[in-house]
């Protein structure tokens, strides 16, 4: 795919095949959405949750950002895109599960580990740096244990999931629902190289799905 014209060509294929095949579903979705699952994933073009989980339209509510991160609950007057999506999914759509999906070969994680954008101005990487500094504490521990090689990158990729899950639990509309059993949180990790998904257990370890 090389540009916008290719996207329009893809739209025509969708209208002729996917939309036509799912016409009844699209008609029902016109009345509203009721997904049971929210997925927080990376913006990386290689990691599409709808494709990885083979879902149909209306089944998952997705928010994507650099390195699939969730910030902690903050009430500082700024605009919080991820927090707004969480609030909508949990309090309005009443999703019963939230899945954080990390992935291999994550550019955001590599930048966090190497400090590639440290001290840069907005437009030169500054916005990226201020986002991925959510991983600074984890980065320090991982470098101390693993150095900065491939094992450190994978460890920090896993840590994005743990950090996001911990931050999810700081939101006052999430923690009580999880405690009551009406909302469950899950961690997953998708390896681009071999197409395999791992699921995080209660100890924070990842195992093949």
């Amino acid at each position: 795919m090389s540009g916008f014209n290719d996207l329009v060509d893809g739209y025509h294929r969708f209208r002729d095949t996917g939309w036509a095949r799912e016409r009844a579903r699209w008609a029902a979705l016109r009345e509203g959405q009721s997904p049971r699952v929210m997925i927080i994933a990376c913006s990386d073009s290689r990691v599409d949750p709808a494709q990885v989980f083979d879902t149909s339209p209306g089944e998952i509510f997705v928010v994507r950002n650099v390195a699939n991160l969730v910030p902690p609950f903050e009430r500082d007057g700024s605009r919080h895109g991820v927090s707004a999506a969480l609030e909508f999914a949990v309090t309005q759509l009443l999703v019963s599960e939230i899945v954080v999906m990390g992935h291999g070969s994550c550019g955001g994680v590599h930048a966090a580990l190497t400090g590639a954008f440290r001290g840069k101005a907005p437009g030169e990487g500054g916005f990226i740096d201020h986002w991925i500094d959510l991983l600074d504490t984890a980065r320090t521990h991982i470098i101390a244990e693993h150095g900065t090689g491939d094992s450190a990158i994978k460890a920090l990729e896993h840590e994005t999931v743990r950090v996001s899950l911990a931050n999810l639990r700081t939101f006052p509309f999430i923690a009580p629902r999880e405690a009551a059993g009406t909302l469950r949180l899950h961690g997953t990790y998708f390896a681009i190289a071999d197409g395999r998904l791992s699921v995080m257990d209660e100890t924070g370890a990842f195992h093949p799905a």
Side-chain angles (χ1 to χ4, degrees):
M1 182 168 286
S2 59
F4 181 71
N5 289 338
D6 293 317
L7 293 178
V8 175
D9 289 342
Y11 157 73
H12 287 297
R13 291 193 299 273
F14 161 73
R15 281 286 297 181
D16 293 339
T17 56
W19 185 85
R21 187 170 55 248
E22 298 263 12
R23 190 164 185 171
R25 176 183 288 274
W26 286 106
L29 290 173
R30 180 179 56 195
E31 306 302 322
Q33 60 172 323
S34 54
R36 294 182 301 168
V37 180
M38 177 184 192
I39 297 179
I40 299 160
C42 185
S43 300
D44 193 302
S45 62
R46 300 164 294 177
V47 186
D48 179 2
Q51 185 175 38
V52 171
F53 294 109
D54 191 25
T55 60
S56 296
E59 290 186 335
I60 57 175
F61 183 81
V62 180
V63 61
R64 300 176 70 175
N65 61 62
V66 174
N68 46 268
L69 290 170
V70 175
F73 176 75
E74 296 174 311
R75 191 181 297 170
D76 59 6
S78 298
R79 292 179 172 86
H80 298 281
V82 175
S83 302
L86 281 171
E87 185 175 55
F88 186 74
V90 174
T91 70
Q92 305 303 305
L93 296 176
L94 303 178
V95 298
S96 57
E97 309 198 63
I98 298 176
V99 178
V100 178
M101 186 174 77
H103 72 95
S105 305
C106 181
V109 167
H110 185 268
L113 191 69
T114 61
F117 300 116
R118 199 55 55 90
K120 298 290 187 180
E124 299 175 351
F127 285 124
I128 300 169
D129 183 59
H130 187 45
W131 180 248
I132 58 177
D133 66 13
L134 286 164
L135 296 171
D136 277 358
T137 299
R139 172 184 182 271
T140 299
H141 294 313
I142 285 170
I143 289 177
E145 183 176 352
H146 298 279
T148 57
D150 291 344
S151 64
I153 291 174
K154 186 171 183 179
L156 192 54
E157 287 168 350
H158 283 173
E159 198 64 22
T160 64
V161 179
R162 300 187 189 101
V163 167
S164 291
L165 288 170
N167 287 342
L168 279 171
R169 294 183 170 107
T170 67
F171 284 78
F173 51 83
I174 289 180
R177 286 173 167 85
E178 185 183 21
T182 58
L183 179 64
R184 294 193 298 171
L185 308 185
H186 307 275
T188 63
Y189 175 84
F190 179 72
I192 291 175
D194 59 15
R196 295 190 181 277
L197 184 78
S198 296
V199 176
M200 196 182 87
D201 66 20
E202 293 182 355
T203 71
F206 288 85
H207 305 280

